Amino acid sequence: MTKKFICIRCPKGCEITTTLDGSGVITEITGNNCKLGIDYVKAELSDPRRTLTTTVEVIEGELPLCPVWTESPIPKDKIKELADALRAIKITAPVKINQIVLENALGTGVNVVAEREINKHSTLAD
Amino acid sequence: MALTYDVIIIGAGPAGLAAAIEAKKTGAQRVLIIERNNEPGGILTQCIHNGFGSVIFKKDLPGPSYAHNFITQAREVEIEMLFDTMVIDITPNRSIYATSKNGFMEFQAGAIVLAMGCRERTRSQIRIPGTRPAGVFTAGMVQRMVNIENLMPGKNFVILGSGDIGMIMARRLTLEGANVIKVVELMPYLTGLRRNYVQCLQDFNIPLELSTTIKTINGNNRVESVETLKVDESLKQIPGTEQIIPCDSVLLSVGLIPENELSKKAGVILDPLTGGPEVDEKMATNIPGIFAAGNAVTIYDLVDYVSEAGFTAGRNAALFASGNTISPADTIKILPGENVRTVVPQAINKQLSGNQVLIELRVTKDFPSPVKIELTDGDNVVLAFREKYARPAEMITLKINPELFMEKTAGISGALKVRAL
Amino acid sequence: MKTNYDVIIIGSGIVGSLIARYLSRYELSVLVVEKQADVGMCPSSANSAIIHAGYDPKPGSVKAAMNAEGNKIWHTLAPELGIMHKKTGSCVAALGEEELPVLNELLENGKANKIPGLEIISGKDFIKKEPLINPLVSGVLWAPTAMVIDPFGAVLAAAENAVTNGVEYLFETEFTGFIFNDNTITGIHTNKGDFSCRWAINAAGLYSDEVAHKAGIRKGFKIIPRKGGYLVFDAAKFQINNVLFPVPSGLGKGTLVSVTTHGNILIGPDNEPASGKEDTSTTASGMAAIISGAKKLIPTIDERNAIAMYEGIRAKGNGDRDFIIERPDEINAFINICGIESPGFASAPAIALKAVELMKEGGENFKDKKSWNPVRKPFPHFHRMNMEEKAALVKQNPAYGRIVCRCEEVTEGEIIDAIHSPIPARTYDGIKRRTWLGTGRCQGAFDYPRVIQILARELGIDETEVTKKGKGSELAFRRTKWL
């Protein structure tokens, strides 16, 4: 049987068709522009993963929120749970870019890190 | 008393930052960026999702991280920046007037780069009938409120428009505990990237209805419902297909428009098709010493190409400021032809120096199978390219070798048309 | 809370606020009760923004007299109260030879109403003054005394001048009935309690019929609301030089195309039934009617250049449609004003003075205040200043240096002024009406979060409590981060 996917690894969004045999083994992959597409559909079939980007509250920062993201994709079914967990986390300024905000998020082995730096409050002109 | 700078850039978003950095590298001594927000980064500070940097950094970065790279570099090369400062006038002889809480300022620039970005199409411009309650937003407004101001503007959303910002916000709102009921799209096709359909709508079971529009917005103080209805292939409303959707918020993602009030003040000629200045391959406008880059020129989908345009504008602005430019020789106009809606640049100099020339265009309709992009002089095909597919939502960037271009266009004067077949 | 007043005015529209302003000259305690959250929220701020010259009403009618006198008064009152206005004159354009006789009728009508300066210009000559006009224009009735004004600004100015001179305004205070002693009104009931007075004045506009009925008079009079929609066009996209009317039809003055005090172009209104007095919804059919009506005058109008739309409701009465301005025989201590539809705004100062006159006739002995200041100096308007003035203003107060609305160049200083003025803005829309913030191309996209911050700070409330137009229209539902 065939299954179609839209690859999300880059903005092209190639439509990739996979052919599977009776036991679910991939016999053919067509439509991808590069190797990332092959990795993507293989993962979608066995262990679908997504990147989470969200924000956490900042204490004493020049901005009230700091954007954060998973350093690499985590299992798709943990995304909502992680977003909820991060809602409860507050970090204190100053924040450095890529600083770890949540280590080994939900036991996935993936860290959630800051997407930018945030200075402490007083340095921002009003 | 005017403060003088070699190059002044208006806007510290990705186009402006790239222009400033490149201007410095090209030898401009005093470079200033004037930014109306309280920090640099432009729209990237609120674009917390990933997908940026695949071309320039060969990485997949979120917006703020992409911006961080440029901001750090700008600081390292000592580019001056003024924040919370609004430019209110520019003259053709490159005087700039700006104001902030610190006072009213006048500047004189050796060269200017216009990098003001764009604004969103509003409800009034598409004239959605109904009442005018609280709860009607454009996608960018909500993105700023949710990601920067820590304000959730509503509970139950209907989104109009399947462009990228609409889909990104559908996911964002859902992750922060709001309920996105549906995305409706006027066209019979998705207008944003397909990857976003998967990771923003499909992943969260948010329904997408194509060929559907909002007929009225209802509600007294706050939105109480929208009435949707179907349209046919020629976008005519189909009576009898109305549906009332109770909700308290409407998010409009119905297009971006280059921001050019300042450009007009400086006497810059705008292209009515892009909404932005007419520029040549150096990103020069018709006013000597005034350059433009980024979403202020035309709407991009990849920030990497915004930065490239910024580099080009910054480099040439610096050259102009130091008196180093070659006066423009003959130019060839570049016009949109069959199946092409917009083209940038709108002119290319016949005498080209070193760098690769980029022609950036958008087609008028979907081409799902391989398509030829041709530069034509009448019936004569001057240059031809092949693309695997073409969609209006995805800008096509043609990379042209300057020697090849000069060779192929040596005998041509006037205009080249760009068509897609 | 004070509950005893000499005069209570029901309604804070242009008529009510001008009455308050004229009465503020005398040694009287005056209260204006208004059921909305701000002044002039009904027809007074959603109209064509024109002070009509007065050639249009039937000679001998109250409308004709009030319009002619009101127009004259506005020419000095607008500058005195610091109201944005432009002395534009107005033009009725006849298209084709067959419409010319109507122009002549209007001219004769206007002469009977003693309107100064009326003349008919040939179509050929007019095209030179207004190049975009429909080339079929055969003649134009030129009325030099017409003006364009900022309607909400006018109501606000009158109200602020009244307040500065001692009048009190209560908002979200809805009149529910009269208190009688035999057939003399001695007070009113409201949703916030009772108030006593020696005079009550019905200036309730759309609701003037209901108020009159509560007084037991004019039982046959009823307001039949009809909607009129408007579209605002970007000044940068096309320009006209005049206030342009078509020749009038049975339904009224028709769809006009007009310059405004703000520099944008206004088109409208159409004429549609309203489902109720609060029905200010715009409809697709209405907007289509407005656009096609406007195209008759200016064929090149491109509806994609519209930047805003709004809808007003006409306080159209049944019956002979003339203004009712009376001191009824049946009831004492009451001035009744009903059915003030077009040319209501132009007539308003004359109507207000007539109300005061009627009080005098009714035995009121007015005593002048020692210190009455009829002049109102408006707050600074950054956008209208030249470079030197702007620089000086910013130097004097840095808050004027921070631009919050980019499209309309509205500064933080002006927003703070609006929040602390005699009739303060307490909502986003209140600031928008006073400063024109958010009315431009981006319709609030840039200023929105900044205005929320400023309102929260100045009013001492949380950002989630800031509203668009009063309770129930909060701009943010909660914080993004909540557990």
Side-chain angles (χ1 to χ4, degrees), chain B residues 35-38 84-89 97-105 116 118-138 140-141 144-155 172-173 176-178 215-223 237 248 259 261 264-265, chain C residues 231 234 236-237 278-284 287 291 303-311 382 386-388 390-392 394-395 398-407 409 412 429 440-446 448-450 452-453 457 462-464 468-482:
Chain B
E35 166 59 52
R36 68 181 187 178
N37 198 13
N38 56 3
D84 245 333
T85 304
M86 186 78 76
V87 173
I88 59 175
D89 202 3
Y97 299 89
T99 174
S100 78
K101 275 193 165 158
N102 296 325
F104 200 80
M105 294 161 272
M116 293 84 67
C118 63
R119 64 177 189 274
E120 298 179 273
R121 184 165 282 117
T122 64
R123 174 197 177 168
S124 299
Q125 285 173 286
I126 58 175
R127 289 186 310 286
I128 303 178
T131 51
R132 286 165 305 289
V136 182
F137 309 97
T138 53
M141 274 163 97
R144 181 168 176 115
M145 287 175 83
V146 170
N147 292 343
I148 304 222
E149 310 287 336
N150 193 14
L151 291 170
M152 171 57 72
K155 287 189 253 192
R172 189 81 196 97
L173 289 166
E176 293 293 5
K215 186 179 177 214
T216 55
I217 295 176
N218 308 307
N220 198 6
N221 289 321
R222 180 81 199 193
V223 171
Q237 301 191 342
D248 55 52
E259 187 56 69
E261 295 322 306
K264 285 189 263 193
K265 286 190 167 175
Chain C
L231 285 169
D234 192 340
K237 294 289 184 179
E278 318 242 302
D279 173 21
T280 53
S281 61
T282 52
T283 62
M287 285 190 280
I291 291 164
E303 52 262 41
R304 287 170 304 179
N305 293 326
I307 54 174
M309 52 193 189
Y310 62 94
E311 199 87 19
F382 187 88
N386 63 32
M387 285 299 169
E388 287 76 37
K390 283 175 175 167
V394 176
K395 192 154 182 214
Y400 292 107
R402 183 174 176 235
I403 292 185
V404 173
C405 169
R406 186 261 332 270
C407 302
E409 263 191 3
E412 181 167 344
D429 279 3
R441 273 165 294 277
C442 79
Q443 291 284 298
F446 178 69
Y448 211 69
R450 293 159 176 84
I452 293 176
Q453 276 171 10
R457 184 188 73 209
D462 190 79
E463 289 180 356
T464 53
K468 183 178 192 285
K469 46 180 168 170
K471 212 158 186 296
S473 67
E474 284 74 15
L475 295 174
F477 161 58
R478 57 166 165 84
R479 293 285 170 189
T480 308
K481 300 299 174 185
W482 108 121

Side-chain angles (χ1 to χ4, degrees), chain A residues 6 8 11-13 33 50 52-55 63-65 67 69 76 80 87 97 115-117 124, chain B residues 38-39 48-49 60 62 64-65 68 75 146-148 172 174-176 193-195 198-199 203 388-389:
Chain A
I6 304 272
I8 64 170
K12 279 194 157 66
N33 192 52
R50 296 289 185 264
L52 172 69
T53 60
T54 183
T55 55
L63 295 168
L65 298 173
W69 67 319
K76 182 172 153 185
K80 197 81 189 10
R87 202 173 294 123
I97 189 172
E115 294 181 8
R116 58 169 288 169
E117 60 181 30
L124 185 70
Chain B
N38 56 3
E39 56 167 356
I48 68 165
H49 50 282
D60 176 28
S65 303
H68 176 90
R75 289 208 191 108
V146 170
N147 292 343
I148 304 222
R172 189 81 196 97
T174 307
L175 287 172
E176 293 293 5
L193 296 176
R194 286 170 302 193
R195 76 186 300 202
V198 172
Q199 60 190 1
D203 279 2
K388 281 205 174 155
Y389 66 89

Side-chain angles (χ1 to χ4, degrees), chain C residues 107-334:
Chain C
L107 178 64
E108 290 312 310
N109 205 68
K111 284 187 183 159
N113 287 335
K114 302 211 171 22
I115 307 304
L118 295 174
E119 65 172 296
I120 295 188
I121 305 173
S122 76
K124 239 176 7 160
D125 286 338
F126 189 71
I127 290 179
K128 295 187 198 139
K129 294 173 189 252
E130 195 66 83
L132 292 179
I133 191 90
N134 188 331
L136 293 174
V137 61
S138 51
V140 163
L141 174 68
W142 164 245
T145 54
M147 288 190 340
V148 294
I149 200 162
D150 168 15
F152 176 78
V155 181
L156 183 71
E160 287 194 340
N161 190 235
V163 167
T164 309
N165 285 299
V167 173
E168 290 172 52
Y169 273 70
L170 279 178
F171 294 101
E172 287 172 314
T173 303
E174 184 175 353
F175 161 88
T176 53
F178 286 106
I179 302 170
F180 288 95
N181 185 358
D182 278 341
N183 59 344
T184 302
I185 287 177
T186 57
I188 65 167
H189 299 295
T190 74
N191 64 342
K192 299 253 174 86
D194 294 348
F195 297 88
S196 64
C197 57
R198 294 189 298 102
W199 285 95
I201 303 179
N202 176 12
L206 275 179
Y207 303 87
S208 56
D209 56 346
E210 298 170 40
V211 174
H213 298 164
K214 285 255 157 65
I217 60 166
R218 292 281 177 180
K219 299 216 171 85
F221 176 77
K222 202 162 159 35
I223 301 262
I224 303 156
R226 287 192 70 87
K227 294 198 282 199
Y230 295 88
L231 285 169
V232 181
F233 278 73
D234 192 340
K237 294 289 184 179
F238 82 98
Q239 266 304 332
I240 58 166
N241 303 314
N242 287 290
V243 175
L244 303 167
F245 290 95
V247 299
S249 70
L251 280 177
K253 296 191 179 66
T255 300
L256 55 80
V257 181
S258 179
V259 295
T260 62
T261 51
H262 208 58
N264 286 324
I265 311 294
L266 187 66
I267 71 172
D270 64 327
N271 199 321
E272 274 197 334
S275 69
K277 289 177 177 174
E278 318 242 302
D279 173 21
T280 53
S281 61
T282 52
T283 62
S285 59
M287 285 190 280
I290 294 164
I291 291 164
S292 73
K295 280 186 172 167
K296 288 200 191 117
L297 289 171
I298 307 282
T300 51
I301 283 181
D302 182 352
E303 52 262 41
R304 287 170 304 179
N305 293 326
I307 54 174
M309 52 193 189
Y310 62 94
E311 199 87 19
I313 304 201
R314 301 172 173 84
K316 181 171 111 78
N318 59 355
D320 69 2
R321 307 266 305 275
D322 203 1
F323 290 161
I324 296 168
I325 309 163
E326 63 186 359
R327 191 170 55 84
D329 293 326
E330 313 94 299
I331 306 285
N332 293 326
F334 184 50

